[in-house]
Amino acid sequence: MSGKALLRFLTCGSVDDGKSTLIGRLLYDTASIPTDQLATLERDSRKHGTTGADLDLALLVDGLEAEREQGITIDVAYRYFSSPRRAFIVADTPGHEQYTRNMATGASNADAAVLLVDARKGVLTQTRRHAYICSLLGLRHVVAAVNKIDLVDDAPAVFARIEAELRAFAAPLGFQTLAVVPVSARFGDNVSAPSERLSWFQGPTLLGWLEELDVSRDRAAAPLRFPVQYVNRPNVDFRGYAGTVASGVVRAGQSIVVAGSGKQTTVARIVTADGDLAEAQAGDAVTLTLADEIDIARGDVLCAPETRPEVADQFAAHVLWMAEEELLAGRPYLMRLGTATVPVRVTGIKHKVDVNSLEHHAARTLHLNEVGFCNLDTTAPVAVDAFADFPATGSFILIDRQTNATVGAGMVSFALRRATNVHRQAVTVDRAARERLNAHPAKAVWFTGLSGSGKSTIANLLEQKLHAHGIRTYLLDGDNVRHGLNRDLGFTDADRVENIRRVGEVARLMTDAGLVVLCSFISPFRAERQMVRELFAPGAFVEVFVDTSIEECIQRDPKGLYARAQAGKLKNFTGIDSPYEAPLTPEVHLQTQGHTPEEAAEQLLALLGL
Amino acid sequence: MSKLSPHLRQLEAEAIHIIREVAAECAHPVMLYSIGKDSGVMLHLALKAFSPAPLPFPLLHVDTKWKFRDMIAHREAIAARHGLDLRVHTNPEGIAKGINPIVSGSSVHTQVMKTDALKQALDHYGFDAAFGGARRDEEKSRAKERVFSFRSAGHVWDPRRQRPELWNLYNARVRPGESLRVFPLSNWTELDVWEYTRAENIPVVPLYFAAPRPVVRRSGVLIVRDDDRLPLEPGEVPEMKLVRFRSLGCYPLSAAVESTAATLDDIIDEMRTSRESERAGRLIDTDEAASMEKKKREGYF
């Protein structure tokens, strides 16, 4: 394809409007289907086909078994074909509402969209939603293909009515170009060649339009943004900053600043494996070396001193929610913006957008496939641009901290507050101040129960979950206390009391420091547990009774201690020859039998309400 | 850079970005090196991505012991030329059980000597990300593959649980036991691979070029008898034919095509007029329609 520009486009539109068939038709007409795949297609058409004796071209594209069985497209499929004039990458995206996120995925990397409309059904809810998502994700060129035009009477009138409706609802979406063409994907009318049957239509064929489309969007003319991707430092003599120029041009010898720190230097070299360059422009993957050693890491953005991005820790953005579990305002997620990854919270949802009417509605949360205009708050300032001007430094994804799933996609509108302008007021640094900084209350969670009851297992799981939610934690248990702080103590009743007293004091210091402290100790006596409780402010001490019967603990005996105690080799063992006083009114009473530790930890997590 | 078409420059930059992303985000990445043309391009891109530094991760070849002799020679030459940290793994259990493509059949051989062997090696070294040279244009289920393909513990691919992948913001986060397969050549076509190989002068295994080779015809395809481990059927006599390969795997499972293409220029010319798909010669793909998807779910590349 030497010399020719590549066009990436997606196909979208309502279910059954014929997207897969249209792509199949484009592949077939451009002779992009290998003969052996054609043979498979003939076999599959007989088995799963919906087109009688004809080839079912949609089967070329629906690749997953479930899709072939159900006759629908679930996931984005990428196809590659070339006409004599251009090479294309097609993202075939699903029409069903529950796969809207997959459609957005396809749109995020496309230059143009082919929006399918079934001539018999006209513009549907899904058509509108897909057009809106295309605009939301920054697509500027759309061609609406009015398909199955062979199946309607008075095609010119139907076409004119659909075109008028499309233009009316797309007007506020701000597409740079919107073309409307009639086609029959099944029979190939006006897809790659003009059709006798559509002689009333004077415009281009669909393929003709795609071949001619000029998507050159002069990214090189925009100000420089170079997100540092990887610091390449093989030895003391070379320190390079590898990355892809996101916009603009970088030239050897020019001044640059690190957006976050404001540190300034000049570009010494633009290094590539094929030799140094005088300049590199948007899209080029290069390595820069700089005249001065300044502190730069992955996530930093290099730019020209006179055209800097905002550096902000609060900004407004549209968020498309992509997870089954709803978006929770206030919960920390990870935000990936450019090459930076920072913890972020959605601090407010200004409104959600009805993707059918484009109306705004109040919302407290976002569900799967919903779009909201949100305020976000990052824990550290990031270099950020408006998505409309700088797609690469104005777009982000949100990642769930526990599952690592990609749960949201965002497009920045504007920074709400420049981090550099924030006037930080001096405050007395106390527990409340630390809690504000941590954005969660400090607490001591005290696990009590027999040896082998599952205290530490549950405490460990809980700590992982809290940590994943961005909560600062520390786990105190016999292992890390008895080997150090309390090395001098044994297991007599007096020593047990002293052990608990010391642990209580340490836990109190740690909550003062703003942490959520998990304490896992048999702590058999009510009195000592009460003593510890009184060290804390009301509500800051949570007693968790891990309730497992002595029989069950003896059976589990994870450390073989009960066996030794029953054999008389271990003295003063709780439950054998030393008493355990169960709590009377614990904050949480966990029955472990019949529940997994995972369930117990989840239950506890919910009850703590952190 | 200037000798590349805009189209190839774009693909090259995208692949370099992907490769650097893994090096920056993953703790223990590895590059699967299968010796073929795609691996050759992928390795070349990786070397370019980190130049002037050496590769910051090792290479892994899963050796089924049934590769063409020319492939192994090429592997050794490439490793020596670039001073690569190349790990070679063969499934010892498969060897002990005498698994081979002829007696055990293609499906068992592939499962044990490729899929299981790969999982063994990834687990043994604790790799959390593995680059593969697969392209989306190769096969239908690959067309739906992410660039960063998430595998749950046990290397399982669940097509319904793939992460949405927007812009070039790849999510490389995994928990212990989980891993990623990463495909820098996702958007390349077979023709792109050859045009890039020619433009960048990347060495390839001579088996891609037409030469007289001893072949037998079985089930309608041409099999090159690379050594005498391939038993001849009664009355079967290998004949010399001018053949080449479009895709290389275990030699008894790789079909040759009759061709006169003896140079990169010839191959590219042949490519432009060919209507046969490249994996048509890979006998393991055609067991059933969703065969590749099935193998992928089980951990195959």
Side-chain angles (χ1 to χ4, degrees), chain A residues 178-497:
Chain A
L178 173 64
V180 187
V181 299
V183 298
S184 165
R186 182 170 169 197
F187 298 106
D189 296 298
N190 206 43
V191 175
S192 57
S195 156
E196 279 292 306
R197 282 190 280 185
L198 301 178
S199 56
W200 50 268
F201 178 71
Q202 301 304 314
T205 63
L206 178 64
L207 184 62
W209 189 87
L210 292 169
E211 284 174 333
E212 288 302 314
L213 180 63
D214 179 11
V215 293
S216 61
R217 171 176 185 175
D218 210 357
R219 279 201 298 158
L224 171 67
R225 298 288 183 264
F226 185 85
V228 174
Q229 189 185 10
Y230 178 83
V231 179
N232 196 2
R233 197 169 189 219
N235 55 55
V236 292
D237 299 325
F238 187 88
R239 181 198 284 264
Y241 301 97
T244 303
V245 183
S247 65
V249 178
V250 59
R251 295 183 176 84
Q254 81 164 85
S255 295
I256 53 139
V257 291
V258 182
S261 67
K263 292 265 169 52
Q264 186 163 343
T265 180
T266 52
V267 176
R269 297 169 57 200
I270 302 173
V271 179
T272 78
D274 301 307
D276 285 7
L277 304 178
E279 63 171 53
Q281 55 172 277
D284 292 342
V286 295
T287 301
L288 306 182
T289 65
L290 304 176
D292 304 292
E293 277 214 1
I294 52 179
D295 186 23
I296 299 177
R298 173 175 166 85
D300 277 325
V301 174
L302 308 183
C303 56
E306 57 280 5
T307 47
R308 306 183 191 200
E310 296 278 8
V311 176
D313 56 7
Q314 286 186 13
F315 44 86
H318 280 98
V319 171
L320 166 64
W321 196 247
M322 302 192 291
E324 298 284 346
E325 198 182 326
E326 63 188 11
L327 169 120
L328 293 180
R331 168 180 284 192
Y333 296 95
L334 285 177
M335 183 177 70
R336 175 70 198 279
L337 188 153
T339 54
T341 303
V342 289
V344 67
R345 290 167 200 266
V346 172
T347 50
I349 300 170
K350 294 183 190 176
H351 60 254
K352 69 178 177 189
V353 180
D354 180 326
V355 293
N356 303 320
S357 63
L358 308 190
E359 284 170 4
H360 297 173
H361 298 294
R364 297 175 58 85
T365 181
L366 293 178
H367 296 99
L368 178 65
N369 296 322
E370 288 188 334
V371 176
F373 191 53
C374 305
N375 284 347
L376 295 102
D377 200 340
T378 56
T379 58
V382 287
V384 64
D385 286 299
F387 175 72
D389 306 326
F390 294 86
T393 42
S395 55
F396 60 87
I397 57 171
L398 298 175
I399 298 169
D400 184 288
R401 300 181 67 151
Q402 204 174 344
T403 63
N404 289 323
T406 302
V407 291
M411 282 97 357
V412 174
S413 291
F414 47 84
L416 289 166
R417 181 179 76 169
R418 288 187 193 181
T420 44
N421 294 345
V422 177
H423 175 67
R424 298 204 185 277
Q425 201 173 356
V427 290
T428 306
V429 180
D430 57 12
R431 180 167 69 103
R434 295 186 188 100
E435 287 182 334
R436 273 198 301 279
L437 181 66
N438 289 347
H440 63 76
K443 272 186 198 301
V445 183
W446 191 276
F447 293 81
T448 174
L450 294 167
S451 175
S453 60
K455 296 182 297 300
S456 294
T457 306
I458 296 167
N460 263 308
L461 284 169
L462 178 66
E463 186 176 33
Q464 287 167 24
K465 290 175 194 295
L466 290 170
H467 185 76
H469 282 77
I471 290 168
R472 293 170 207 275
T473 57
Y474 194 79
L475 176 59
L476 287 170
D477 64 19
D479 282 340
N480 61 17
V481 174
R482 287 228 176 237
H483 292 159
L485 178 66
N486 292 355
R487 187 164 40 189
D488 55 331
L489 300 178
F491 290 90
T492 63
D493 285 356
D495 278 1
R496 283 176 184 277
V497 170

Side-chain angles (χ1 to χ4, degrees), chain A residues 35-36 67 80 298 336, chain B residues 17 21 144 187 275 277:
Chain A
T35 46
D36 54 300
E67 295 179 335
Y80 304 80
R298 173 175 166 85
R336 175 70 198 279
Chain B
H17 181 85
E21 200 57 22
K144 310 220 161 185
N187 286 323
R275 296 289 308 274
S277 76

Side-chain angles (χ1 to χ4, degrees), chain B residues 114 247-249 253-255 278-286 300:
Chain B
K114 291 180 81 172
S247 181
L248 291 171
L253 303 177
S254 300
E278 144 192 45
R279 291 194 71 94
R282 296 295 283 268
L283 306 184
I284 60 167
D285 285 1
T286 46
Y300 182 72

